[in-house]
Amino acid sequence: MQQVVYIANPVSGLIHVFRLDEGELVSLQEVQTGGEVQPLVISPDRRWLYAGVRPDFKVLSYPIGVDGRLGTPASAPLAGSASHTCTDATGRLFFAASYAFNHLSVSPMDEDGRVLAPHQRIDDLMTAHSVTLLADGQESPSLLVASLKDDAIRRFALGEDGRLTPHPRGDLHTAPGAGPRHLALHPSNGDLYCLNELDGTLNRYHREEDGRIHERESLDMLPPGYEGERWGADLHLTPNGRFLYTSERASSLLTLFGVDEQDGSLTLLDHFATEACPRGFAIDHSGHYLIATGQESHNVAVHRIASETGQLSLSSRHPVGKGAMWVRVLMLDGRPA
């Protein structure tokens, strides 16, 4: 399996491109974006890397070469600074949540896959921190926007015209002061997870076939007796759905949860030290490696995942640009010709 890792470093303005080789990162390229590059997302056909850049609010569409290196980008304006982005399942729409500007924007793409200027903006989403697509056949496509200071996950229906409307099922709400930040979807059991930044908790929801979403449980991410600051950051599941990991910046810890194969319930299994202030991380497509950035260490750590237990062990560390934040992993094998 050939895989390429992209890391965004906003302070230095760099995207680092690495080949993942048996737990080591082999440098392929350093790309200067000319701004504070933050959210990265790969197109569904794996031919484009989209990078949100500030303070000149824009998205750069980088063509991805056969070896994963990035070509000359196209640029399109955004309505404000992007904190998190995603695309629809077909690669015709690009969504950007803006924490600083309290909105979500929708941008069309041209027929080749380049992002164009937004055609819709939805305001009054307080500190919109992330945007997540729901499109797995259970219902019509919809979007979830984690609005941190609203303590709400705002829900929108995606129409055939590429525009969003409030979802008839309404929004989801977290505990007061939780601060919903990032979301993740289980690959098969219909569960949805929400990492809460401010109280350091993880919520599990279950999606019914009729579109209803119910909260099942909420767990603390931090060790028993922890009394420090709480500053939750990111979450991801292994491809087989057996393990879920979260990152917390104040303690610089990764937390491992087991996912029950029968009812989906979560069990906190362990905590692991990683890079200082792990703002973002990703899990590779084989499920063998967890790649975590250190926003304060300017390094990236590659942790090996034990297949039976989910336990982490350090495989390697590599220097990257300043303020490392975003990690995306591309599988080159099987891309359309």
Side-chain angles (χ1 to χ4, degrees):
M1 181 183 292
Q2 299 182 64
Q3 298 184 91
V4 174
V5 178
Y6 302 98
I7 297 176
N9 308 271
V11 178
S12 59
L14 293 171
I15 298 173
H16 282 253
V17 184
F18 295 97
R19 184 177 73 249
L20 179 60
D21 186 6
E22 297 296 326
E24 296 285 340
L25 295 178
V26 179
S27 180
L28 296 178
Q29 187 184 27
E30 293 183 10
V31 177
Q32 177 55 250
T33 65
E36 298 176 18
V37 57
Q38 292 202 8
L40 303 177
V41 67
I42 296 168
S43 65
D45 64 6
R46 293 178 281 167
R47 293 183 175 279
W48 298 91
L49 178 75
Y50 305 118
V53 177
R54 60 185 77 172
D56 296 330
F57 308 133
K58 59 187 175 182
V59 56
L60 300 176
S61 300
Y62 286 95
I64 300 174
V66 293
D67 62 353
R69 288 182 172 90
L70 302 177
T72 302
S75 177
L78 288 175
S81 59
S83 56
H84 191 278
T85 58
C86 73
T87 73
D88 74 333
T90 65
R92 68 185 184 94
L93 295 171
F94 175 86
F95 308 98
S98 179
Y99 178 94
F101 288 81
N102 305 311
H103 72 238
L104 173 70
S105 64
V106 186
S107 301
M109 299 180 186
D110 68 18
E111 60 183 16
D112 292 323
R114 300 174 188 85
V115 178
L116 305 175
H119 66 218
Q120 184 182 18
R121 190 177 84 183
I122 298 175
D123 293 308
D124 300 320
L125 304 176
M126 291 303 297
T127 54
H129 216 306
S130 66
V131 55
T132 302
L133 177 73
L134 293 183
D136 56 9
Q138 287 189 320
E139 56 175 328
S140 299
S142 60
L143 284 178
L144 299 178
V145 181
S147 296
L148 187 142
K149 290 186 179 177
D150 282 336
D151 289 320
I153 302 170
R154 304 288 299 275
R155 195 174 180 190
F156 298 93
L158 177 60
E160 290 290 335
D161 60 356
R163 301 182 70 86
L164 299 173
T165 56
H167 197 283
R169 289 287 185 185
D171 301 330
L172 305 174
H173 297 274
T174 64
R181 176 183 172 90
H182 283 184
L183 307 177
L185 307 175
H186 192 275
S188 60
N189 71 11
D191 280 354
L192 164 74
Y193 310 92
C194 175
L195 178 142
N196 297 308
E197 176 179 327
L198 303 182
D199 69 359
T201 59
L202 174 68
N203 294 353
R204 179 173 72 92
Y205 301 86
H206 185 71
R207 294 176 290 146
E208 305 290 349
E209 290 187 3
D210 63 4
R212 291 179 297 169
I213 300 177
H214 304 286
E215 183 177 343
R216 293 296 194 223
E217 57 185 329
S218 183
L219 291 82
D220 195 340
M221 299 190 312
L222 289 156
Y226 178 84
E227 297 181 353
E229 179 186 0
R230 289 172 177 262
W231 200 16
D234 204 3
L235 78 167
H236 294 281
L237 292 117
T238 51
N240 61 14
R242 291 184 59 191
F243 303 110
L244 184 151
Y245 300 85
T246 64
S247 68
E248 201 282 331
R249 288 169 286 183
S251 63
S252 297
L253 288 177
L254 298 168
T255 302
L256 163 64
F257 294 89
V259 181
D260 188 271
E261 293 183 8
Q262 301 301 316
D263 64 7
S265 60
L266 297 172
T267 301
L268 194 157
L269 298 177
D270 214 338
H271 298 89
F272 304 91
T274 189
E275 297 295 328
C277 198
R279 165 60 178 76
F281 70 96
I283 294 171
D284 84 310
H285 294 278
S286 73
H288 294 160
Y289 300 102
L290 184 153
I291 304 150
T293 60
Q295 193 172 0
E296 295 179 357
S297 72
H298 312 318
N299 284 301
V300 59
V302 181
H303 299 273
R304 188 181 299 273
I305 300 173
S307 60
E308 293 302 315
T309 64
Q311 294 285 306
L312 300 179
S313 58
L314 183 64
S315 181
S316 61
R317 297 179 73 218
H318 304 266
V320 287
K322 294 181 179 179
M325 286 176 60
W326 280 89
V327 187
R328 296 294 186 191
V329 184
L330 169 71
M331 183 171 63
L332 291 174
D333 303 42
R335 285 203 303 169

